């Protein structure tokens, strides 16, 4: 999805840190910039590798601590994509209503938004007397490439997460 609104996500995270009286250290800034500079879902190891490309002193512990803060802020969400693989999703800051299709073979993740689902959410919550504050729709399947050609181009490129 689009990378627009990076500045907005950064501002909101800085506000979150300020409310908790936490400082933005140099390492945290590097990690934050990497996270809000991508629209890919990533693993903690990938984030560590990307951050170290910018600043070799970034530690694994700081990556994990910063990821925890980012998820607590609601700007990044953890996504369980199956087979024990957890990825982080930086796209909720700009697209709070998006959902995921996940290929169980190549673990490619496709994001989508659906007006039909939003209408269903409205209808169900009104009928049952709820105000929805968070939503999570995750569809797992197999991508067409694998079914029709017996292989998935996503997997053959060697990328495990999208
Ligand atoms: Zn997503
Ligand atoms: Zn696939």
């Amino acid at each position: 999805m689009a990378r627009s609104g990076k500045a907005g996500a950064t501002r909101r995270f800085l506000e979150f840190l300020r409310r908790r009286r936490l400082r933005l250290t140099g390492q945290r800034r590097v990690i934050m910039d990497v996270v809000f500079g991508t629209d890919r879902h990533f693993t903690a190891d990938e984030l560590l590798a990307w951050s170290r490309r910018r600043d070799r002193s970034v530690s694994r512990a700081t990556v994990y601590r910063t990821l925890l803060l980012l998820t607590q802020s609601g700007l990044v969400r953890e996504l369980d994509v199956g087979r024990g693989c957890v990825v982080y999703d930086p796209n909720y800051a700009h697209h709070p209503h998006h959902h995921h299709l996940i290929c169980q073979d190549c673990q490619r993740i496709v994001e989508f938004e659906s007006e039909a689902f939003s209408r269903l959410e409205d209808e169900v919550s009104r009928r049952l007397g709820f105000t929805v504050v968070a939503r999570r729709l995750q569809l797992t399947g197999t991508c067409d490439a694998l079914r029709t050609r017996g292989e998935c181009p996503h997997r053959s490129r060697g990328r495990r997460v999208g």
Side-chain angles (χ1 to χ4, degrees):
M1 286 197 176
R3 287 167 60 165
S4 60
K6 182 190 171 193
T10 299
R11 184 173 42 73
R12 283 159 66 187
F13 187 59
L14 293 178
E15 265 165 36
F16 171 85
L17 291 179
R18 207 170 46 236
R19 275 200 308 276
R20 298 197 160 206
R21 298 176 191 281
L22 293 168
R23 270 185 341 112
L24 185 69
T25 61
Q27 289 196 14
R28 270 189 195 145
R29 173 172 284 284
V30 168
I31 295 164
M32 175 188 75
D33 285 345
V34 168
V35 167
F36 294 136
T38 185
D39 54 9
R40 273 187 58 187
H41 305 86
F42 53 83
T43 63
D45 281 341
E46 283 177 314
L47 179 58
L48 177 65
W50 296 344
S51 301
R52 279 187 176 161
R53 259 184 242 157
R54 296 198 192 182
D55 177 351
R56 280 158 40 137
S57 71
V58 171
S59 72
R60 181 177 295 271
T62 304
V63 164
Y64 278 104
R65 274 200 302 270
T66 307
L67 268 176
L68 188 65
L69 290 169
L70 284 161
T71 52
Q72 285 171 349
S73 76
L75 296 165
V76 171
R77 287 203 209 167
E78 226 176 69
L79 209 61
D80 185 341
V81 294
R83 296 182 184 175
C85 185
V86 169
V87 297
Y88 294 87
D89 185 338
N91 299 329
Y92 281 97
H94 326 310
H95 299 282
H97 293 271
H98 80 269
H99 309 291
H100 298 101
L101 274 168
I102 299 175
C103 176
Q104 64 180 6
D105 292 305
C106 65
Q107 292 183 306
R108 179 159 65 108
I109 302 170
V110 179
E111 299 189 325
F112 68 95
E113 292 185 47
S114 162
E115 278 189 29
F117 183 73
S118 300
R119 277 197 302 275
L120 178 69
E121 177 185 306
D122 284 348
E123 193 264 310
V124 170
S125 56
R126 202 172 312 134
R127 181 156 49 85
L128 300 178
F130 260 72
T131 300
V132 174
V133 292
R135 54 197 64 71
R136 181 165 298 200
L137 177 64
Q138 188 164 311
L139 306 174
T140 305
T142 53
C143 58
D144 283 350
L146 194 77
R147 199 179 64 240
T148 55
R149 293 204 296 272
E151 62 172 324
C152 173
H154 184 74
R155 182 156 59 181
S156 60
R157 280 205 310 273
R159 271 184 62 187
R160 304 261 311 153
V161 293

